[in-house]
Amino acid sequence: MSRSLVSTSLKRKRPETGPPGLADAERAILESIKGKKDLGIWARDIKQETKLTDHVVNKSLKSLLAKKLIKEVVNIQNKGKKHYMAVEFEPSKEISGGEWYVDGNLDKELINILKQLCLRYLRVQKVATLEGVHNELKKNRVVTFEISSQQVGEILNSMVLDDDIIEVKSTGLGDYHSIPVGTICYRFASGAGAGKGPRLGAFASIPCGACPRISLCTPDGVISPSTCVYYTKWLNIDF
């Protein structure tokens, strides 16, 4: 047997590193995408990693999508760029925005429902702590995920900024008798008894300090101080 025939025989026996029937370019792109796991990767970065031409990358991506080996996902940090991920992974919170987002869009309906539940609870209790509101929402089971104390805090902070409720500190007297003195709690922004309890200063409740997206906020980014309605409201507070 000649050397060329032996070489051909060995090549046929070499195991493939991905699904059968893929072209070399498709295999390289699939490996690049899989390597990013739940973070996914932009099309531009795929081109840089694989050193393939735009035409080859675009054609291979279409083929991989048709074969259902990859999927296109929405990246809330930059919705204008195409983001790809292997089908066996689900987008991380950095990409999807977490439970508050659906297909890259803020789930306003869910947030409004949770706000109404918070208001109803505060109407009955008159005053409540973050822990109390959190326990009430968990008991209602209105969401399919395990809602965290931090997420409830985000809801309450947005309600404070919208002037739906006020954030105060317990005095340990009257409505606050069951709450330790100095504990941060919440009550309606208007109505009987709303003024009881020292209200926190504006700087103590600056939205940036409680914002879960602060790490993604940049002057020229999708999330920025110039487009933040809560930051704008805070700037207009009469100190």
Side-chain angles (χ1 to χ4, degrees), residues 43-112:
R44 183 192 63 185
D45 293 336
I46 293 174
K47 295 169 186 176
Q48 291 179 347
E49 282 198 7
T50 60
K51 309 300 182 185
L52 296 169
T53 64
D54 290 358
H55 174 73
V56 172
V57 169
N58 294 335
K59 181 179 178 181
S60 298
L61 287 172
K62 288 181 180 179
S63 177
L64 292 170
L65 286 168
K67 294 172 181 176
K68 299 187 183 304
L69 295 173
I70 63 171
K71 57 187 175 182
E72 191 172 337
V73 296
V74 177
N75 185 340
I76 64 165
Q77 298 181 45
N78 199 323
K79 297 181 181 180
K81 293 184 178 180
K82 290 190 176 182
H83 212 78
Y84 297 94
M85 186 174 295
V87 292
E88 57 263 40
F89 297 105
E90 290 300 324
S92 65
K93 289 184 178 181
E94 291 84 355
I95 301 299
S96 68
E99 288 83 0
W100 296 145
Y101 287 78
V102 176
D103 296 328
N105 297 310
L106 189 65
D107 192 345
K108 295 181 180 180
E109 182 179 358
L110 171 61
I111 292 174
N112 286 333

Side-chain angles (χ1 to χ4, degrees), residues 64-185:
L64 292 170
L65 286 168
K67 294 172 181 176
K68 299 187 183 304
L69 295 173
I70 63 171
K71 57 187 175 182
E72 191 172 337
V73 296
V74 177
N75 185 340
I76 64 165
Q77 298 181 45
N78 199 323
K79 297 181 181 180
K81 293 184 178 180
K82 290 190 176 182
H83 212 78
Y84 297 94
M85 186 174 295
V87 292
E88 57 263 40
F89 297 105
E90 290 300 324
S92 65
K93 289 184 178 181
E94 291 84 355
I95 301 299
S96 68
E99 288 83 0
W100 296 145
Y101 287 78
V102 176
D103 296 328
N105 297 310
L106 189 65
D107 192 345
K108 295 181 180 180
E109 182 179 358
L110 171 61
I111 292 174
N112 286 333
I113 290 173
L114 291 173
K115 283 184 176 181
Q116 291 304 312
L117 287 172
C118 291
L119 284 173
R120 186 176 70 182
Y121 181 67
L122 287 171
R123 184 179 295 116
V124 174
Q125 299 296 321
K126 294 185 178 179
V127 62
T129 61
L130 169 59
E131 182 183 8
V133 178
H134 183 210
N135 290 335
E136 176 67 13
L137 292 180
K138 287 196 296 183
K139 185 174 68 176
N140 275 276
R141 298 181 179 178
V142 292
V143 294
T144 57
F145 57 90
E146 184 68 26
I147 191 167
S148 68
S149 177
Q150 179 184 342
Q151 289 170 323
V152 176
E154 292 172 9
I155 293 291
L156 293 173
N157 284 333
S158 70
M159 294 173 69
V160 170
L161 291 165
D162 288 335
D163 293 326
D164 293 328
I165 61 176
I166 59 174
E167 188 179 81
V168 296
K169 284 187 177 181
S170 171
T171 61
L173 303 172
D175 293 338
Y176 304 93
H177 71 277
S178 62
I179 303 173
V181 176
T183 301
I184 294 175
C185 40

